[in-house]
Amino acid sequence: MAVQRIPAVRAAVQIMKDEGVGTVFGCSGAALLPLYAAMEAGGIGRLPVRREEAAAHMAFGWARTSGRPGVAAVAAGPGAARLVTGLHAARQDAVPLVCITGRADTGPDGSPHHATCRPPDLVRLAGPVTKRAERIEDPARLPGAFREAFRIAREGRPGPALIDVPAEWAVAEIGYDAGAGFRPPRAGPVRGAAPRPPVPASGVPAEIAGLFAPDAHVVSGTAGACARSGPPGWEVPAAIGVRTALDSLGEREAEVVAVIDSQDFPALAEELATAAQHAVPFVLITLPPVLTPPGHEPDFPDHVKLAEAYGCAGRYLAGAADPAELRSAAEWARKEAVSTRRPVLLEVRAVQRLPLRFRAAAAPTLVLSRPGVAAVRNTFGHPPGLFQQTVDVWSERFLRSDVRKPTSALSYGRSPCRSPR
């Protein structure tokens, strides 16, 4: 093709289309308006995000489900520093992300016109938690930077890359040859998520494993053989990314279930409003805090009312003692999510108490990922077909401080496995 004179950001959008990007998870910001306008003209959707950190987690869910790098876009203001936690989690879990930060116009000395609100140096801030972080200083560099960012995010051990784009360079015209030495990549599984064999659920009540469809996509960091190393509340935006990717692949009937510690849920709960506004349905289950003794469960906030405030439905569950109630609640949640095209919350306020001997009997078939917790292996990032549910096994021995320390077999608060190198 002949070289064309087009805005630099239009070339960047064409490269994103070549990479198979269907949705960008982006926050609002004046510096990003040229990018969003070019995306709309180029046929790439945008899911508005309320917090910068959530954009990275949504892109994470998209990447793990679609097999292609996820893309997040945020304005390079003070709030952009929240990206670091999401980028670090993607680096630890070997998930390919490309993060675009839009910088406001700068003055002759390179500083922003609004000197009273200086953004952080995102390139230096993100450097230690990304495979590459680059600030665009020449508009002609933008297409090459985007191609390299996607290549670096995919190749070797996958991970995140960041591009900092000044608004004035995004709209500058450049010479661009769309077909110059570029082959679109093939979609494939994220190598950081190697398939693992199913773990049988013997020893755990059958009604727990059978609450949802066998091929449900479960998003959880509460427990598991290799639970994701995300910060509190990451499960909500990640589930949004998974659901969005499934819809883009034509799998609208697939179920998405997010399981989250009730203490972590409020951290990014406002993204439920994003899901409700843009018809992103999934089932969200909150479990009591693992390390909270019986009778000391927190009463505030009321998570069902919080979900309702964001436009979602919710229901309380007394616990796992009544299989019929569990099945009925799960069926209601599935139907409600499908009919409303919004998230639905099931809050479990208590879980079944089991004797200490349960751990020994279940050891051959279950993975213990926290002291005092037996769990079916986490399925997020693994082939669908498993369901995770934690079961409380509190006892007097566990409540003593001397047994809460990590051992060679159990890791306190994290899975003992490590990310692939």
Side-chain angles (χ1 to χ4, degrees), residues 108-140:
D109 61 348
S111 61
H113 289 305
H114 302 286
T116 56
C117 186
R118 288 180 178 272
D121 188 339
L122 292 174
V123 172
R124 293 184 62 185
L125 196 63
V129 294
T130 58
K131 295 180 68 177
R132 178 168 186 164
E134 177 181 358
R135 176 177 293 117
I136 302 300
E137 303 292 351
D138 180 358

Short mmCIF file of all heavy atoms in Angstrom, two decimals, residues 108-140:
data_model
loop_
_atom_site.label_atom_id
_atom_site.label_comp_id
_atom_site.label_asym_id
_atom_site.label_seq_id
_atom_site.Cartn_x
_atom_site.Cartn_y
_atom_site.Cartn_z
N PRO A 108 6.07 24.77 26.48
CA PRO A 108 7.37 24.76 25.81
C PRO A 108 8.45 24.05 26.62
O PRO A 108 9.38 23.49 26.04
CB PRO A 108 7.69 26.26 25.64
CG PRO A 108 6.37 26.95 25.74
CD PRO A 108 5.55 26.13 26.68
N ASP A 109 8.34 24.08 27.94
CA ASP A 109 9.36 23.43 28.78
C ASP A 109 9.06 21.97 29.05
O ASP A 109 9.78 21.30 29.81
CB ASP A 109 9.50 24.17 30.11
CG ASP A 109 8.21 24.17 30.92
OD1 ASP A 109 7.16 23.81 30.33
OD2 ASP A 109 8.26 24.53 32.10
N GLY A 110 7.97 21.42 28.44
CA GLY A 110 7.65 20.02 28.63
C GLY A 110 6.73 19.75 29.81
O GLY A 110 6.29 18.61 29.99
N SER A 111 6.42 20.75 30.62
CA SER A 111 5.54 20.54 31.76
C SER A 111 4.10 20.76 31.34
O SER A 111 3.82 21.47 30.38
CB SER A 111 5.90 21.51 32.90
OG SER A 111 5.73 22.85 32.46
N PRO A 112 3.13 20.17 32.03
CA PRO A 112 1.73 20.35 31.68
C PRO A 112 1.29 21.79 31.85
O PRO A 112 1.83 22.53 32.67
CB PRO A 112 0.98 19.43 32.64
CG PRO A 112 1.99 18.76 33.47
CD PRO A 112 3.33 19.30 33.16
N HIS A 113 0.29 22.20 31.05
CA HIS A 113 -0.23 23.56 31.16
C HIS A 113 -0.83 23.79 32.54
O HIS A 113 -0.75 24.88 33.09
CB HIS A 113 -1.30 23.80 30.08
CG HIS A 113 -0.72 23.91 28.70
ND1 HIS A 113 0.28 24.79 28.37
CD2 HIS A 113 -1.01 23.21 27.57
CE1 HIS A 113 0.59 24.66 27.08
NE2 HIS A 113 -0.18 23.70 26.57
N HIS A 114 -1.45 22.76 33.11
CA HIS A 114 -2.03 22.88 34.45
C HIS A 114 -0.98 22.42 35.46
O HIS A 114 -0.98 21.30 35.94
CB HIS A 114 -3.30 22.03 34.56
CG HIS A 114 -4.33 22.40 33.55
ND1 HIS A 114 -5.07 23.54 33.64
CD2 HIS A 114 -4.72 21.78 32.41
CE1 HIS A 114 -5.91 23.61 32.60
NE2 HIS A 114 -5.70 22.55 31.85
N ALA A 115 -0.04 23.31 35.76
CA ALA A 115 1.09 22.94 36.59
C ALA A 115 0.68 22.58 38.02
O ALA A 115 1.44 21.94 38.73
CB ALA A 115 2.11 24.07 36.63
N THR A 116 -0.51 23.03 38.44
CA THR A 116 -0.93 22.72 39.82
C THR A 116 -1.34 21.26 39.98
O THR A 116 -1.51 20.80 41.09
CB THR A 116 -2.12 23.62 40.21
OG1 THR A 116 -3.18 23.44 39.25
CG2 THR A 116 -1.70 25.08 40.23
N CYS A 117 -1.53 20.57 38.88
CA CYS A 117 -1.93 19.16 38.95
C CYS A 117 -0.98 18.33 38.08
O CYS A 117 -1.33 17.86 37.01
CB CYS A 117 -3.37 18.99 38.47
SG CYS A 117 -4.01 17.31 38.67
N ARG A 118 0.23 18.21 38.53
CA ARG A 118 1.24 17.48 37.77
C ARG A 118 1.00 15.97 37.87
O ARG A 118 0.91 15.43 38.96
CB ARG A 118 2.64 17.80 38.29
CG ARG A 118 3.11 19.20 37.96
CD ARG A 118 4.50 19.44 38.53
NE ARG A 118 4.99 20.76 38.18
CZ ARG A 118 5.65 21.03 37.06
NH1 ARG A 118 5.91 20.07 36.21
NH2 ARG A 118 6.07 22.25 36.81
N PRO A 119 0.91 15.30 36.73
CA PRO A 119 0.73 13.84 36.77
C PRO A 119 2.02 13.16 37.17
O PRO A 119 3.11 13.72 37.02
CB PRO A 119 0.35 13.50 35.32
CG PRO A 119 0.99 14.59 34.51
CD PRO A 119 0.94 15.83 35.35
N PRO A 120 1.94 11.95 37.69
CA PRO A 120 3.16 11.22 38.04
C PRO A 120 3.91 10.79 36.79
O PRO A 120 3.34 10.72 35.70
CB PRO A 120 2.63 10.01 38.81
CG PRO A 120 1.25 9.81 38.29
CD PRO A 120 0.72 11.18 37.98
N ASP A 121 5.19 10.52 36.96
CA ASP A 121 5.99 10.01 35.85
C ASP A 121 5.67 8.53 35.70
O ASP A 121 6.28 7.66 36.34
CB ASP A 121 7.48 10.21 36.14
CG ASP A 121 8.35 9.88 34.93
OD1 ASP A 121 7.88 9.12 34.06
OD2 ASP A 121 9.50 10.35 34.87
N LEU A 122 4.69 8.22 34.86
CA LEU A 122 4.19 6.86 34.76
C LEU A 122 5.21 5.91 34.15
O LEU A 122 5.22 4.71 34.46
CB LEU A 122 2.90 6.83 33.94
CG LEU A 122 1.70 7.51 34.60
CD1 LEU A 122 0.53 7.56 33.64
CD2 LEU A 122 1.31 6.77 35.86
N VAL A 123 6.06 6.42 33.27
CA VAL A 123 7.06 5.54 32.66
C VAL A 123 8.03 5.02 33.72
O VAL A 123 8.33 3.83 33.78
CB VAL A 123 7.80 6.28 31.54
CG1 VAL A 123 8.97 5.45 31.02
CG2 VAL A 123 6.84 6.60 30.40
N ARG A 124 8.49 5.90 34.59
CA ARG A 124 9.39 5.46 35.66
C ARG A 124 8.64 4.65 36.71
O ARG A 124 9.17 3.68 37.26
CB ARG A 124 10.04 6.67 36.33
CG ARG A 124 11.00 7.43 35.43
CD ARG A 124 11.67 8.55 36.18
NE ARG A 124 12.47 8.05 37.29
CZ ARG A 124 13.09 8.85 38.17
NH1 ARG A 124 12.96 10.18 38.06
NH2 ARG A 124 13.80 8.33 39.13
N LEU A 125 7.39 5.02 36.97
CA LEU A 125 6.60 4.32 37.98
C LEU A 125 6.26 2.90 37.54
O LEU A 125 6.31 1.95 38.34
CB LEU A 125 5.32 5.10 38.26
CG LEU A 125 4.53 4.77 39.52
CD1 LEU A 125 5.36 5.07 40.75
CD2 LEU A 125 3.23 5.58 39.55
N ALA A 126 5.93 2.74 36.26
CA ALA A 126 5.52 1.43 35.76
C ALA A 126 6.69 0.57 35.29
O ALA A 126 6.52 -0.63 35.07
CB ALA A 126 4.53 1.60 34.60
N GLY A 127 7.86 1.15 35.17
CA GLY A 127 9.01 0.41 34.67
C GLY A 127 9.27 -0.91 35.38
O GLY A 127 9.43 -1.96 34.74
N PRO A 128 9.30 -0.94 36.72
CA PRO A 128 9.61 -2.19 37.41
C PRO A 128 8.53 -3.26 37.31
O PRO A 128 8.81 -4.43 37.59
CB PRO A 128 9.77 -1.73 38.88
CG PRO A 128 10.03 -0.28 38.82
CD PRO A 128 9.27 0.21 37.64
N VAL A 129 7.30 -2.90 36.93
CA VAL A 129 6.21 -3.89 36.91
C VAL A 129 5.72 -4.17 35.49
O VAL A 129 4.66 -4.78 35.31
CB VAL A 129 5.04 -3.43 37.79
CG1 VAL A 129 5.45 -3.39 39.24
CG2 VAL A 129 4.50 -2.07 37.35
N THR A 130 6.44 -3.72 34.47
CA THR A 130 6.07 -3.98 33.08
C THR A 130 7.27 -4.54 32.34
O THR A 130 8.42 -4.42 32.78
CB THR A 130 5.60 -2.70 32.37
OG1 THR A 130 6.65 -1.71 32.42
CG2 THR A 130 4.35 -2.14 33.01
N LYS A 131 7.01 -5.15 31.20
CA LYS A 131 8.10 -5.60 30.35
C LYS A 131 8.70 -4.45 29.58
O LYS A 131 9.87 -4.50 29.19
CB LYS A 131 7.59 -6.67 29.38
CG LYS A 131 7.11 -7.95 30.06
CD LYS A 131 6.63 -8.96 29.04
CE LYS A 131 7.77 -9.51 28.19
NZ LYS A 131 7.28 -10.55 27.25
N ARG A 132 7.89 -3.42 29.35
CA ARG A 132 8.38 -2.23 28.66
C ARG A 132 7.45 -1.07 28.95
O ARG A 132 6.23 -1.22 28.94
CB ARG A 132 8.46 -2.45 27.15
CG ARG A 132 8.93 -1.22 26.39
CD ARG A 132 9.25 -1.56 24.98
NE ARG A 132 9.84 -0.44 24.27
CZ ARG A 132 10.50 -0.55 23.13
NH1 ARG A 132 10.65 -1.75 22.58
NH2 ARG A 132 11.00 0.50 22.53
N ALA A 133 8.02 0.10 29.21
CA ALA A 133 7.26 1.34 29.40
C ALA A 133 7.94 2.43 28.58
O ALA A 133 9.14 2.68 28.76
CB ALA A 133 7.20 1.72 30.87
N GLU A 134 7.18 3.08 27.70
CA GLU A 134 7.77 4.05 26.77
C GLU A 134 6.90 5.29 26.68
O GLU A 134 5.67 5.20 26.61
CB GLU A 134 7.93 3.42 25.37
CG GLU A 134 8.47 4.38 24.33
CD GLU A 134 8.60 3.75 22.95
OE1 GLU A 134 8.29 2.54 22.83
OE2 GLU A 134 8.98 4.45 22.00
N ARG A 135 7.55 6.45 26.64
CA ARG A 135 6.86 7.71 26.41
C ARG A 135 7.12 8.16 24.98
O ARG A 135 8.25 8.19 24.53
CB ARG A 135 7.34 8.78 27.39
CG ARG A 135 6.71 10.16 27.13
CD ARG A 135 7.14 11.18 28.16
NE ARG A 135 6.61 10.85 29.48
CZ ARG A 135 7.35 10.56 30.52
NH1 ARG A 135 8.68 10.54 30.41
NH2 ARG A 135 6.79 10.28 31.68
N ILE A 136 6.06 8.49 24.26
CA ILE A 136 6.17 8.91 22.87
C ILE A 136 6.65 10.35 22.82
O ILE A 136 6.01 11.25 23.38
CB ILE A 136 4.83 8.75 22.13
CG1 ILE A 136 4.36 7.30 22.20
CG2 ILE A 136 4.96 9.21 20.69
CD1 ILE A 136 5.29 6.30 21.58
N GLU A 137 7.76 10.59 22.15
CA GLU A 137 8.30 11.94 22.00
C GLU A 137 8.23 12.43 20.56
O GLU A 137 8.50 13.60 20.28
CB GLU A 137 9.76 11.98 22.47
CG GLU A 137 9.97 11.53 23.91
CD GLU A 137 9.37 12.49 24.92
OE1 GLU A 137 8.94 13.59 24.51
OE2 GLU A 137 9.32 12.14 26.11
N ASP A 138 7.88 11.52 19.63
CA ASP A 138 7.80 11.87 18.21
C ASP A 138 6.57 11.17 17.65
O ASP A 138 6.43 9.95 17.79
CB ASP A 138 9.06 11.40 17.48
CG ASP A 138 9.03 11.73 15.99
OD1 ASP A 138 8.02 12.29 15.51
OD2 ASP A 138 10.03 11.43 15.31
N PRO A 139 5.63 11.89 17.04
CA PRO A 139 4.42 11.25 16.54
C PRO A 139 4.69 10.14 15.53
O PRO A 139 3.93 9.16 15.47
CB PRO A 139 3.62 12.40 15.92
CG PRO A 139 4.61 13.50 15.71
CD PRO A 139 5.62 13.35 16.77
N ALA A 140 5.77 10.25 14.76
CA ALA A 140 6.09 9.21 13.79
C ALA A 140 6.46 7.89 14.48
O ALA A 140 6.44 6.82 13.85
CB ALA A 140 7.24 9.66 12.90
#
